[in-house]
Amino acid sequence: MGTDGMRWGDLSDNNNEMGHVLIIMLLEWLLVLFIAYCTYEAGSSRSGDRRSPFFFLKKFEKKHSASFRKPSLQRHGSKVYVQLEKLDVIQEREKVEQSLLEHDMSHAIVCDNLKKVYPGRDGNPGKSVVRGLSLALSQGECFGMLGPNGAGKTSFINMMIGLIKPSSGTAYVQGLDITTNMDQIYANMGVCPQHDLLWETLTGREHLLFYGRLKNLKGFTLTQAVEESLKSVDLFNGGVADKQAGKYSGGMKRRLSVAISLIGDPKVVYMDEPSTGLDPASRNNLWNVVKRAKQNRTIILTTHSMEEAEHLCDRLGIFVDGNLQCVGNPKELKGRYGGSYVFTMTTSSNHEVDIENLVKDLSLNANKIYQITGTQKFELPKKAIKIADVFRAVENAKSRFQVQAWGLADTTLEDVFIKVAREAQPFDVLS
Ligand SMILES: Nc1ncnc2c1ncn2[C@@H]1O[C@H](COP(=O)(O)OP(=O)(O)OP(=O)(O)O)[C@@H](O)[C@H]1O
């Protein structure tokens, strides 16, 4: 008949290998469990994108690459670009990496090394206009994108709204990937383009009804949303809403474009130079609309107006030649890049040298920002000068020659912009 088989007591018997067998089975079980976890994680990620089964190695990989990233060389045609990332930009990139790694949903928009290269034509090399933009924007944040003409701001927005495809990298809007889930993103996105895209023969109300329907609003909800929208941009009273858009003033058209971008309560809105071409009163009106709209929405706004940026935005990024040069709130940027006073003096042109000498006496480290027919502007390092000394020097100059005007001011956002844009150009391109 059969034997009793193995018993727990036999484990201590050196004549059988049962102890070893159990240890091997335990190790195999742990290994299979780990492989199953990796396979599951690789198949389920935010936005439905597949992750590498070796995603767990990324933590080490990222740390390694971050420390080597600072100055990097890129070749485009005959030009060599030196990328010198500033600490704030590096920190923003790390924030993006962390957010992606942890599936952090507190960010409404996450751009992950977004790049755009327009293909070259007639044998010319391609044009790189967005060179690896990494940005993480919180829910409810209004982010201002500043930059000189041709910096790549519109190209960036066009990628975000699905008009053009990124050449590499991607962005996530509320966890949805712009390269694969644009249809879902559209349902919760609003756009105010740089130039008003309106039908001259349709009224303001008809525009909003049309765009409201595109956002899946129907019946009473649609009528109510249109009415609220018209009221919020001051196009409701006096029958304005039922006038053809072709008869609207520039300010009214712009306000209608902003209203269109906000209909259906989208959680993410892009505004490309919303107040361009408006007179100060219309611009103030529009700013009030945007300010009201900021609650609970993430807005990316491009602008050439420093006043607008300071007025509306929680954070700003200065974008030059496809690269983010700095990022922070307006106060931080002024503090970081503005360790100086701006001294301006206007005299007749034959006293320009006297002014240069006056400034040199105040501080040998002063920098001339510009000189235009008798008006000179200098940066004076705050640490090196006393305001009283400046006043004394100006009084002294006034006793010797005619000073038409002068001023001493703290750094403005415009000074920061000029400084950052100017510093970025010579370093970025070494031909
Ligand atoms: N479809 C295209 N093909 C090739 N080059 C393009 C294309 N669209 C834009 N560019 C070029 O890309 C660069 C960036 O243009 P973009 O409009 O994105 O800049 P921007 O910062 O929005 O400028 P602005 O402030 O003047 O609106 C410019 O040099 C422009 O000529």
Side-chain angles (χ1 to χ4, degrees):
M1 296 302 285
T3 63
D4 287 343
M6 294 294 288
R7 290 170 186 276
W8 287 114
D10 298 334
L11 280 178
S12 52
D13 183 354
N14 286 337
N15 292 329
N16 67 58
E17 295 288 319
M18 200 52 203
H20 289 133
V21 170
L22 284 179
I23 290 171
I24 289 167
M25 278 172 69
L26 180 70
L27 289 176
E28 275 182 356
W29 178 75
L30 286 173
L31 186 67
V32 170
L33 193 67
F34 178 66
I35 291 171
Y37 173 70
C38 290
T39 316
Y40 170 78
E41 279 291 309
S44 65
S45 76
R46 57 192 292 162
S47 77
D49 265 6
R50 295 187 81 80
R51 293 165 88 187
S52 157
F54 303 109
F55 66 90
F56 55 90
L57 294 175
K58 270 201 170 162
K59 205 163 192 163
F60 305 104
E61 188 191 302
K62 297 275 179 186
K63 273 189 184 154
H64 178 264
S65 58
S67 54
F68 284 93
R69 193 183 302 115
K70 285 159 204 175
S72 73
L73 288 176
Q74 297 169 18
R75 177 175 280 279
H76 285 281
S78 61
K79 288 176 176 173
V80 176
Y81 293 83
V82 183
Q83 201 174 325
L84 294 162
E85 281 196 337
K86 306 267 171 27
L87 193 63
D88 44 358
V89 179
I90 293 171
Q91 278 168 351
E92 189 70 17
R93 198 178 278 279
E94 283 170 356
K95 194 161 98 182
V96 166
E97 289 170 358
Q98 202 64 28
S99 165
L100 293 175
L101 216 58
E102 291 171 0
H103 296 211
D104 179 5
M105 293 303 285
S106 67
H107 293 118
I109 297 180
V110 178
C111 300
D112 181 19
N113 209 18
L114 200 60
K115 293 184 183 170
K116 181 68 197 173
V117 183
Y118 288 117
R121 285 200 198 122
D122 308 325
N124 292 315
K127 188 173 171 67
S128 191
V129 292
V130 179
R131 303 164 192 260
L133 177 65
S134 288
L135 203 58
L137 307 187
S138 311
Q139 310 272 3
E141 179 175 355
C142 180
F143 183 83
M145 192 161 244
L146 306 175
N149 291 121
K153 304 179 296 293
T154 303
S155 301
F156 161 65
I157 296 232
N158 286 347
M159 282 191 276
M160 296 302 291
I161 63 176
L163 277 185
I164 55 174
K165 286 254 172 230
S167 304
S168 70
T170 190
Y172 301 94
V173 179
Q174 304 211 295
L176 299 166
D177 190 332
I178 60 163
T179 58
T180 51
N181 299 95
M182 212 56 220
D183 285 348
Q184 281 162 273
I185 294 174
Y186 283 137
N188 222 347
M189 179 186 96
V191 184
C192 170
Q194 197 169 357
H195 305 288
D196 300 311
L197 296 173
L198 304 173
W199 290 278
E200 302 277 293
T201 51
L202 291 191
T203 65
R205 190 190 301 275
E206 284 164 346
H207 275 93
L208 290 167
L209 283 168
F210 174 76
Y211 283 103
R213 272 186 211 115
L214 288 185
K215 293 274 175 67
N216 278 335
L217 299 179
K218 286 182 190 113
F220 177 68
T221 325
L222 175 64
T223 329
Q224 200 183 24
V226 168
E227 206 148 289
E228 275 170 17
S229 189
L230 287 165
K231 280 180 189 157
S232 77
V233 293
D234 284 337
L235 290 176
F236 185 73
N237 293 327
V240 188
D242 298 308
K243 263 192 186 170
Q244 290 183 336
K247 298 199 175 111
Y248 281 5
S249 69
M252 288 158 86
K253 283 184 180 166
R254 216 62 198 124
R255 290 209 303 274
L256 178 59
S257 295
V258 170
I260 290 171
S261 73
L262 298 173
I263 191 129
D265 196 20
K267 289 289 167 260
V268 172
V269 178
Y270 302 95
M271 296 186 177
D272 202 353
E273 301 183 25
S275 69
T276 299
L278 297 190
D279 64 71
S282 311
R283 196 189 53 184
N284 269 339
N285 256 341
L286 188 104
W287 284 356
N288 289 335
V289 174
V290 177
K291 262 188 173 166
R292 279 198 298 269
K294 268 171 62 173
Q295 265 91 51
N296 291 326
R297 276 201 187 93
T298 305
I299 300 181
I300 294 189
L301 180 149
T302 75
T303 181
H304 286 294
S305 156
M306 303 299 132
E307 207 185 339
E308 177 166 281
E310 234 174 328
H311 204 80
L312 297 177
C313 303
D314 305 309
R315 276 201 313 155
L316 302 171
I318 301 183
F319 204 57
V320 184
D321 201 20
N323 282 314
L324 196 58
Q325 295 296 334
C326 59
V327 58
N329 69 44
K331 221 172 170 180
E332 273 171 1
L333 292 184
K334 282 193 271 184
R336 207 177 301 149
Y337 293 91
S340 48
Y341 292 115
V342 177
F343 176 70
T344 318
M345 191 170 256
T346 307
T347 59
S348 58
S349 27
N350 51 339
H351 286 297
E352 281 172 352
V353 181
D354 293 314
I355 306 304
E356 278 174 12
N357 291 337
L358 176 157
V359 170
K360 235 182 259 167
D361 285 345
L362 285 168
S363 165
L364 285 174
N365 294 325
N367 260 335
K368 190 187 276 192
I369 306 173
Y370 70 68
Q371 172 172 0
I372 305 169
T373 52
T375 297
Q376 298 183 82
K377 201 170 186 179
F378 300 87
E379 258 178 6
L380 305 178
K382 277 185 184 170
K383 282 185 189 151
I385 66 148
K386 285 194 189 123
I387 293 182
D389 292 342
V390 180
F391 275 81
R392 218 169 286 130
V394 173
E395 286 309 312
N396 184 288
K398 277 182 177 171
S399 66
R400 290 185 288 123
F401 50 85
Q402 199 199 355
V403 173
Q404 290 160 10
W406 76 280
L408 183 70
D410 212 341
T411 321
T412 62
L413 197 56
E414 192 174 316
D415 299 320
V416 173
F417 177 84
I418 293 171
K419 193 172 176 179
V420 171
R422 192 184 304 143
E423 275 175 9
Q425 309 272 6
F427 283 112
D428 268 358
V429 185
L430 301 177
S431 292

